[in-house]
Amino acid sequence: MADHSLVLALALTVRHDGQGGVADDLGGPEGLTAWVREHAAALESDAGVDGFAADAFTADEEALAAVRALRAAVRALFARAVRPDPPSPADAQRLLPVGMALEVLNSAAAAVPTVPHLEWSEGRDPYAVHRGTGAPDAVTALCAALARAAVGFLAGPDREKLRACHAPRCVRYFLKEHPRQEWCRPSCGNRARVARHQRRHQLHDGS
Ligand SMILES: [Zn+2]
């Protein structure tokens, strides 16, 4: 039942820009509007909030600041989750303190009360979801849905699969799906091998 694509997707809005720097998909309100609509299905599913229509959401500066604060908290906790490995280099120099990150995440989740809700389709096992209730404004509902997705992931068994990719220029977090996986995707593995090869040659040239 656990689908952690939403919280990973939020973290991955910080990405490599293709030129050695870092780009931010949530650089302005229009970026957040596009991101929320793109992830509407996930935002309205299990962790959803009644009455929040993600596919009709339009972000403003307030929404942007709130979601960026939540993302900073998620990335700080991702950095803790991958220890003793180093965090993604994108923000390793300016991570929120863990206590503050927990506070941001927990208060966003607490802003919308939830009720248990039983799902049971024909031929499947029943399961409980915790749906948001009350009548929160859209920003509160959005942040609560994201925060609950993050809480579910960080408190669950898949947290142990989280890794930061340390291929040259990559800043992605990913879930390690098989024991020998070292990189977030094959192209990162190729770049890392090339870089290793070049380093070896430079060492030889220098000797
Ligand atoms: Zn990578």
Side-chain angles (χ1 to χ4, degrees):
M1 227 30 66
D3 175 5
H4 302 310
S5 57
L6 189 62
V7 60
L8 268 174
L10 176 64
L12 295 183
T13 53
V14 173
R15 57 182 178 78
H16 178 248
D17 68 0
Q19 278 132 39
V22 173
D24 188 351
D25 289 337
L26 306 185
E30 62 295 331
L32 178 58
T33 299
W35 188 86
V36 168
R37 292 183 184 192
E38 190 185 325
H39 294 87
L43 280 162
E44 288 171 10
S45 69
D46 294 358
V49 174
D50 286 338
F52 173 57
D55 55 356
F57 178 77
T58 300
D60 57 12
E61 291 291 343
E62 181 208 348
L64 183 67
V67 172
R68 286 175 61 114
L70 197 62
R71 182 183 63 182
V74 165
R75 290 188 63 95
L77 297 172
F78 275 20
R80 171 178 257 204
V82 300
R83 288 188 316 183
D85 289 344
S88 159
D91 49 9
Q93 306 308 318
R94 50 187 168 92
L95 287 170
L96 271 188
V98 164
M100 207 180 283
L102 288 171
E103 174 65 30
V104 168
L105 195 63
N106 285 330
S107 53
V112 175
T114 63
V115 292
H117 179 93
L118 188 68
E119 299 274 355
W120 196 351
S121 326
E122 186 68 42
R124 301 188 132 195
D125 288 334
Y127 66 98
V129 296
H130 294 266
R131 291 197 60 86
T133 187
D137 61 80
V139 178
T140 306
L142 170 63
C143 288
L146 292 172
R148 278 192 289 131
V151 169
F153 169 66
L154 288 165
D158 283 349
R159 180 197 65 251
E160 294 181 6
K161 295 186 194 164
L162 189 70
R163 297 288 183 281
C165 181
H166 289 289
R169 302 197 305 277
C170 189
V171 298
R172 289 168 63 90
Y173 282 102
F174 67 100
L175 294 183
K176 181 174 172 137
E177 296 295 358
H178 50 89
R180 289 173 57 84
Q181 186 179 358
E182 219 181 319
W183 316 104
C184 72
R185 47 189 165 189
S187 59
C188 278
N190 292 338
R191 268 206 323 286
R193 273 185 289 277
V194 169
R196 208 179 290 158
H197 184 77
Q198 285 172 343
R199 258 199 315 275
R200 216 173 287 145
H201 277 265
Q202 278 162 6
L203 283 178
H204 281 294
D205 293 346
S207 65

